[in-house]
Amino acid sequence: MDRKQFSQLLLLLLTTFSALAAKDFYDILQVPKGASDSLIKRSYRKLALQYHPDKVKGTEEEKTAAAKRFAEISHAYEVLSDDEKRRIYDRYGEEGLKQHDQGGGGGGGAADIFSQFFGGGFPGFGGFGGMGDEEEQTPKGDDVRVDLEVTLKDLYLGHQFKVMRDKPVAKPAPGKRKCNCRNKVVTRQLGPGMFQQFQQQECQECQNIKFERETETITISVESGMRNGQEIVFFEEGEPLLDGEPGDLKFIVRTLPHKRFQRDGNDLKYNLTISLVDALTGFTTEFEHLDGHKVKVEAAGVTIPGQVFKVEGEGMPLFDHPNKAGDLYATITVAFPAKLSEAQKDAVRKVFKGMHDEL
Ligand SMILES: *[C@@H]1O[C@H](CO)[C@@H](O)[C@H](O)[C@H]1NC(C)=O
């Protein structure tokens, strides 16, 4: 197979992978599969504000990535916020939705959904002020951070992990409790011209609450090209807080060392051992990539130890562009024979006679 055929095959493989790895709407909105409507709504709100094209500052590339993300978030919300569409999506996936959509007119664009949700203007910008501040004041439970150990192969192909999670859930309990307490400064007149100021706590009465542990299954989608240290977030799945919002549940990608490959950004490094004869006379060799497909390296001339062969497009897939990939660098190690017989030595001397006279 020549280089061209080979890269065609690779392209085919990569497109298959990226089709498989089409992003799940629940993943996009950072909520578990069974998420309630209100959780989906809150998460959309947070993400839409975060990735709205008017709000993202940075390089053109970052803005483009954010715009793409914004469109994804809006599309996912459009589906998951509509009972019928969500049911179809849960059962038949995106394909099912496409067939469904062919009947009626498709949904509006991302900006339409955004303005339907927020009612026109941009919250926190000009006229709409306050919304962002209000959000910051809501007390939030702690984020739960969990290391997720993945192999390089998981990051190359993408992989779904199912984890069981024991989570405290707030349940109504008998009795009442004080809640939403606020400190108020009260001024009392003690006598003529004598005032005393003191703080007083004002509370409301709320239904008592107890936390019960519930087990749920969470599917974590590790997408191809994800980086070490990247976070996979489940919105409001962290520690709950009385009278506040729960924190988030964050899985942090930790790459396990691989026996044969090392990752360097989007590139891969590989140590390729060849024989002394191959080093001197040229060679064609193949080795297995992370998913088992073969990578070919060849040299016509002399190869020295430490020499590096670059194989384009055989690195890691890019997270934001799964059809593109980094490169692979194969560093040559030459396997020398442990020893030569006298006859072999003579033969070698004869072959190389006169070649190194300058040394
Ligand atoms: C290649 O070999 C060198 C030297 O033994 C080692 O430091 C490096 O980690 C190896 N690289 C890979 C990709 O295994």
Side-chain angles (χ1 to χ4, degrees):
M1 197 164 28
D2 65 24
R3 176 64 70 81
K4 191 157 164 232
Q5 280 173 313
F6 189 73
S7 60
Q8 273 167 359
L9 177 70
L10 177 73
L11 198 70
L12 197 73
L13 281 169
L14 285 175
T15 17
T16 326
F17 298 156
S18 67
L20 282 177
K23 283 191 189 159
D24 180 274
F25 291 161
Y26 293 95
D27 293 344
I28 292 169
L29 288 181
Q30 303 181 352
V31 295
K33 297 271 179 293
S36 68
D37 290 348
S38 71
L39 181 68
I40 288 172
K41 206 168 191 169
R42 288 198 300 280
S43 184
Y44 166 72
R45 178 182 193 282
K46 193 184 126 187
L47 292 170
L49 289 175
Q50 190 178 342
Y51 289 101
H52 193 283
D54 289 352
K55 201 146 181 180
V56 173
K57 299 180 187 72
T59 63
E60 275 314 303
E61 201 160 312
E62 282 164 346
K63 283 186 184 164
T64 314
K68 195 178 145 204
R69 192 77 194 273
F70 181 70
E72 272 176 5
I73 292 161
S74 304
H75 182 54
Y77 179 71
E78 188 203 347
V79 172
L80 296 188
S81 60
D82 177 315
D83 284 349
E84 193 189 351
K85 286 185 185 170
R86 184 174 176 182
R87 219 172 41 239
I88 295 171
Y89 178 71
D90 286 348
R91 289 187 67 176
Y92 308 108
E94 232 172 316
E95 268 315 303
L97 277 176
K98 277 186 198 140
Q99 287 170 21
H100 170 77
D101 278 350
Q102 274 160 11
D112 285 346
I113 292 157
F114 187 81
S115 60
Q116 273 164 32
F117 190 95
F118 289 101
F122 194 92
F125 270 58
F128 243 93
M131 226 150 151
D133 301 339
E134 178 196 313
E135 201 160 42
E136 272 156 35
Q137 280 168 11
T138 316
K140 226 181 148 184
D142 286 335
D143 288 345
V144 176
R145 302 168 66 86
V146 183
D147 282 344
L148 181 71
E149 292 193 336
V150 302
T151 63
L152 203 54
K153 185 180 171 186
D154 294 334
L155 293 173
Y156 186 75
L157 289 174
H159 189 78
Q160 295 209 327
F161 292 89
K162 283 210 188 309
V163 294
M164 297 285 277
R165 178 167 145 72
D166 213 21
K167 179 181 124 167
V169 177
K171 294 277 156 99
K176 298 272 176 213
R177 67 187 174 91
K178 288 185 169 178
C179 64
N180 298 330
C181 295
R182 276 187 313 180
N183 283 328
K184 230 176 104 173
V185 178
V186 179
T187 309
R188 189 161 60 181
Q189 188 162 11
L190 298 175
M194 274 176 69
F195 294 92
Q196 190 190 30
Q197 277 199 331
F198 57 96
Q199 287 214 337
Q200 196 179 341
Q201 221 185 30
E202 276 198 347
C203 294
Q204 289 172 302
E205 289 259 289
C206 295
Q207 175 69 49
N208 223 351
I209 280 192
K210 65 174 185 299
F211 286 104
E212 278 176 13
R213 305 203 77 86
E214 276 183 5
T215 306
E216 62 174 358
T217 310
I218 295 185
T219 307
I220 313 165
S221 298
V222 170
E223 284 162 40
S224 61
M226 275 190 166
R227 289 171 294 274
N228 192 50
Q230 193 164 341
E231 289 182 347
I232 302 169
V233 180
F234 288 83
F235 185 65
E236 292 190 4
E237 289 288 322
E239 286 299 327
L241 187 72
L242 272 182
D243 305 322
E245 288 172 3
D248 299 332
L249 171 62
K250 298 182 172 176
F251 291 95
I252 298 131
V253 171
R254 301 282 177 221
T255 317
L256 294 165
H258 193 275
K259 278 208 291 278
R260 299 183 297 124
F261 290 94
Q262 264 167 12
R263 184 181 191 176
D264 181 11
N266 297 321
D267 297 330
L268 283 173
K269 293 189 166 161
Y270 184 84
N271 282 337
L272 180 61
T273 304
I274 58 173
S275 69
L276 180 57
V277 174
D278 281 356
L280 294 172
T281 61
F283 65 91
T284 302
T285 188
E286 283 183 343
F287 59 90
E288 270 195 9
H289 208 298
L290 287 161
D291 62 340
H293 84 265
K294 296 280 199 288
V295 179
K296 187 159 121 182
V297 176
E298 55 190 345
V302 174
T303 306
I304 61 170
Q307 193 169 326
V308 179
F309 289 83
K310 175 179 177 179
V311 192
E312 274 181 27
E314 286 285 12
M316 294 296 285
L318 308 195
F319 177 64
D320 291 315
H321 309 272
N323 292 332
K324 292 187 192 163
D327 302 318
L328 186 144
Y329 294 88
T331 305
I332 298 294
T333 303
V334 178
F336 280 73
K339 63 174 190 227
L340 293 183
S341 67
E342 284 309 317
Q344 284 170 323
K345 286 181 196 169
D346 278 343
V348 172
R349 283 191 198 103
K350 217 178 274 168
V351 168
F352 288 96
K353 195 157 193 279
M355 274 184 79
H356 292 302
D357 284 354
E358 72 276 15
L359 296 180

PDB file of all heavy atoms in Angstrom, residues 258-262 269-271 333, ligand 1:
ATOM      1  N   HIS A 258       1.568   4.902  28.443  1.00  0.00           N
ATOM      2  CA  HIS A 258       1.439   3.816  27.468  1.00  0.00           C
ATOM      3  C   HIS A 258       2.788   3.152  27.284  1.00  0.00           C
ATOM      4  O   HIS A 258       3.826   3.801  27.389  1.00  0.00           O
ATOM      5  CB  HIS A 258       0.934   4.387  26.138  1.00  0.00           C
ATOM      6  CG  HIS A 258       0.484   3.337  25.178  1.00  0.00           C
ATOM      7  ND1 HIS A 258       1.348   2.693  24.340  1.00  0.00           N
ATOM      8  CD2 HIS A 258      -0.747   2.821  24.943  1.00  0.00           C
ATOM      9  CE1 HIS A 258       0.666   1.805  23.618  1.00  0.00           C
ATOM     10  NE2 HIS A 258      -0.606   1.875  23.955  1.00  0.00           N
ATOM     11  N   LYS A 259       2.754   1.856  27.009  1.00  0.00           N
ATOM     12  CA  LYS A 259       4.024   1.120  26.887  1.00  0.00           C
ATOM     13  C   LYS A 259       4.842   1.568  25.682  1.00  0.00           C
ATOM     14  O   LYS A 259       6.067   1.607  25.736  1.00  0.00           O
ATOM     15  CB  LYS A 259       3.732  -0.387  26.746  1.00  0.00           C
ATOM     16  CG  LYS A 259       3.471  -1.078  28.062  1.00  0.00           C
ATOM     17  CD  LYS A 259       3.866  -2.558  28.019  1.00  0.00           C
ATOM     18  CE  LYS A 259       2.972  -3.380  27.120  1.00  0.00           C
ATOM     19  NZ  LYS A 259       1.704  -3.837  27.691  1.00  0.00           N
ATOM     20  N   ARG A 260       4.165   1.890  24.583  1.00  0.00           N
ATOM     21  CA  ARG A 260       4.918   2.145  23.351  1.00  0.00           C
ATOM     22  C   ARG A 260       4.829   3.583  22.847  1.00  0.00           C
ATOM     23  O   ARG A 260       5.713   4.046  22.135  1.00  0.00           O
ATOM     24  CB  ARG A 260       4.414   1.209  22.245  1.00  0.00           C
ATOM     25  CG  ARG A 260       4.603  -0.272  22.595  1.00  0.00           C
ATOM     26  CD  ARG A 260       4.164  -1.157  21.442  1.00  0.00           C
ATOM     27  NE  ARG A 260       2.759  -1.014  21.151  1.00  0.00           N
ATOM     28  CZ  ARG A 260       2.253  -0.673  19.962  1.00  0.00           C
ATOM     29  NH1 ARG A 260       3.052  -0.472  18.948  1.00  0.00           N
ATOM     30  NH2 ARG A 260       0.957  -0.568  19.786  1.00  0.00           N
ATOM     31  N   PHE A 261       3.754   4.287  23.196  1.00  0.00           N
ATOM     32  CA  PHE A 261       3.570   5.639  22.660  1.00  0.00           C
ATOM     33  C   PHE A 261       3.627   6.695  23.752  1.00  0.00           C
ATOM     34  O   PHE A 261       3.202   6.445  24.879  1.00  0.00           O
ATOM     35  CB  PHE A 261       2.213   5.755  21.964  1.00  0.00           C
ATOM     36  CG  PHE A 261       2.106   4.986  20.691  1.00  0.00           C
ATOM     37  CD1 PHE A 261       1.586   3.699  20.693  1.00  0.00           C
ATOM     38  CD2 PHE A 261       2.525   5.530  19.493  1.00  0.00           C
ATOM     39  CE1 PHE A 261       1.485   2.971  19.514  1.00  0.00           C
ATOM     40  CE2 PHE A 261       2.428   4.817  18.306  1.00  0.00           C
ATOM     41  CZ  PHE A 261       1.907   3.538  18.322  1.00  0.00           C
ATOM     42  N   GLN A 262       4.156   7.854  23.365  1.00  0.00           N
ATOM     43  CA  GLN A 262       4.084   9.003  24.253  1.00  0.00           C
ATOM     44  C   GLN A 262       3.380  10.118  23.510  1.00  0.00           C
ATOM     45  O   GLN A 262       3.613  10.317  22.322  1.00  0.00           O
ATOM     46  CB  GLN A 262       5.494   9.486  24.628  1.00  0.00           C
ATOM     47  CG  GLN A 262       5.974   8.938  25.953  1.00  0.00           C
ATOM     48  CD  GLN A 262       7.461   9.154  26.154  1.00  0.00           C
ATOM     49  OE1 GLN A 262       8.098   9.901  25.418  1.00  0.00           O
ATOM     50  NE2 GLN A 262       7.997   8.492  27.146  1.00  0.00           N
ATOM     51  N   LYS A 269       4.799  10.116  19.935  1.00  0.00           N
ATOM     52  CA  LYS A 269       6.195   9.703  19.793  1.00  0.00           C
ATOM     53  C   LYS A 269       6.286   8.205  19.967  1.00  0.00           C
ATOM     54  O   LYS A 269       5.585   7.630  20.813  1.00  0.00           O
ATOM     55  CB  LYS A 269       7.052  10.415  20.830  1.00  0.00           C
ATOM     56  CG  LYS A 269       7.117  11.887  20.555  1.00  0.00           C
ATOM     57  CD  LYS A 269       8.119  12.564  21.426  1.00  0.00           C
ATOM     58  CE  LYS A 269       8.389  13.947  20.871  1.00  0.00           C
ATOM     59  NZ  LYS A 269       8.985  14.815  21.883  1.00  0.00           N
ATOM     60  N   TYR A 270       7.170   7.627  19.190  1.00  0.00           N
ATOM     61  CA  TYR A 270       7.297   6.176  19.183  1.00  0.00           C
ATOM     62  C   TYR A 270       8.760   5.823  19.020  1.00  0.00           C
ATOM     63  O   TYR A 270       9.482   6.476  18.264  1.00  0.00           O
ATOM     64  CB  TYR A 270       6.484   5.625  17.996  1.00  0.00           C
ATOM     65  CG  TYR A 270       6.443   4.127  17.922  1.00  0.00           C
ATOM     66  CD1 TYR A 270       5.519   3.402  18.661  1.00  0.00           C
ATOM     67  CD2 TYR A 270       7.334   3.426  17.103  1.00  0.00           C
ATOM     68  CE1 TYR A 270       5.475   2.023  18.597  1.00  0.00           C
ATOM     69  CE2 TYR A 270       7.297   2.044  17.032  1.00  0.00           C
ATOM     70  CZ  TYR A 270       6.363   1.350  17.783  1.00  0.00           C
ATOM     71  OH  TYR A 270       6.312  -0.008  17.718  1.00  0.00           O
ATOM     72  N   ASN A 271       9.223   4.823  19.764  1.00  0.00           N
ATOM     73  CA  ASN A 271      10.602   4.346  19.579  1.00  0.00           C
ATOM     74  C   ASN A 271      10.576   3.140  18.648  1.00  0.00           C
ATOM     75  O   ASN A 271       9.938   2.145  18.949  1.00  0.00           O
ATOM     76  CB  ASN A 271      11.205   3.920  20.920  1.00  0.00           C
ATOM     77  CG  ASN A 271      11.648   5.122  21.743  1.00  0.00           C
ATOM     78  OD1 ASN A 271      11.911   6.198  21.205  1.00  0.00           O
ATOM     79  ND2 ASN A 271      11.710   4.941  23.052  1.00  0.00           N
ATOM     80  N   THR A 333      15.967   3.384  17.119  1.00  0.00           N
ATOM     81  CA  THR A 333      16.977   2.706  17.934  1.00  0.00           C
ATOM     82  C   THR A 333      17.552   1.593  17.054  1.00  0.00           C
ATOM     83  O   THR A 333      16.796   0.886  16.394  1.00  0.00           O
ATOM     84  CB  THR A 333      16.345   2.072  19.188  1.00  0.00           C
ATOM     85  OG1 THR A 333      15.677   3.101  19.916  1.00  0.00           O
ATOM     86  CG2 THR A 333      17.397   1.428  20.073  1.00  0.00           C
TER      87      THR A 333
HETATM   88  C1  LIG B   1      12.086   6.025  23.922  1.00  0.00           C
HETATM   89  O1  LIG B   1      13.288   5.681  24.560  1.00  0.00           O
HETATM   90  C2  LIG B   1      13.816   6.701  25.382  1.00  0.00           C
HETATM   91  C3  LIG B   1      15.169   6.223  25.861  1.00  0.00           C
HETATM   92  O2  LIG B   1      15.101   4.940  26.366  1.00  0.00           O
HETATM   93  C4  LIG B   1      12.854   6.948  26.519  1.00  0.00           C
HETATM   94  O3  LIG B   1      13.324   7.956  27.345  1.00  0.00           O
HETATM   95  C5  LIG B   1      11.508   7.373  25.935  1.00  0.00           C
HETATM   96  O4  LIG B   1      10.570   7.529  26.957  1.00  0.00           O
HETATM   97  C6  LIG B   1      11.012   6.336  24.938  1.00  0.00           C
HETATM   98  N1  LIG B   1       9.879   6.862  24.258  1.00  0.00           N
HETATM   99  C7  LIG B   1       8.753   6.152  24.104  1.00  0.00           C
HETATM  100  C8  LIG B   1       7.708   6.794  23.264  1.00  0.00           C
HETATM  101  O5  LIG B   1       8.556   5.057  24.613  1.00  0.00           O
END
